[in-house]
Amino acid sequence: MHLQSLRRQRVNVPGAALLVRMEEGETIWTESSHKYRPQEPAEMAARAGFRQVAQWVDVEWPFAQNLWLVD
């Protein structure tokens, strides 16, 4: 999914010490949707040097949130 800036602007994200400048019409990528089996995110985490400590799966929609910590 992309969001499109309706005008030239600066967006400050203090928690990330980030200032983003956007032009009118510029888009930002806000979401990626991928289909994985429930065990795959933990395997990906391990390959990347993380450890999956929790996984929450929505009972109504095929959607999951995964919490990874760095080892």
Side-chain angles (χ1 to χ4, degrees), residues 36-47 50-52 55 64-66 68:
Y36 298 105
R37 294 186 313 273
Q39 70 275 14
E40 286 183 283
E43 295 165 356
M44 289 186 290
R47 286 193 304 271
F50 292 86
R51 175 174 44 93
Q52 181 170 300
Q55 182 180 71
Q65 290 284 340
N66 298 277
W68 296 0

Side-chain angles (χ1 to χ4, degrees), residues 21-49:
R21 291 184 174 92
M22 298 186 67
E23 296 295 327
E24 181 178 347
E26 186 175 0
T27 64
I28 58 171
W29 184 4
T30 60
E31 177 184 338
S32 295
S33 178
H34 302 279
K35 310 297 186 264
Y36 298 105
R37 294 186 313 273
Q39 70 275 14
E40 286 183 283
E43 295 165 356
M44 289 186 290
R47 286 193 304 271

Side-chain angles (χ1 to χ4, degrees), residues 2-23:
H2 282 82
L3 296 178
Q4 185 175 29
S5 180
L6 298 177
R7 64 183 191 279
R8 187 178 191 187
Q9 60 184 312
R10 294 182 337 180
V11 179
N12 186 27
V13 185
L18 181 66
L19 178 63
V20 178
R21 291 184 174 92
M22 298 186 67
E23 296 295 327

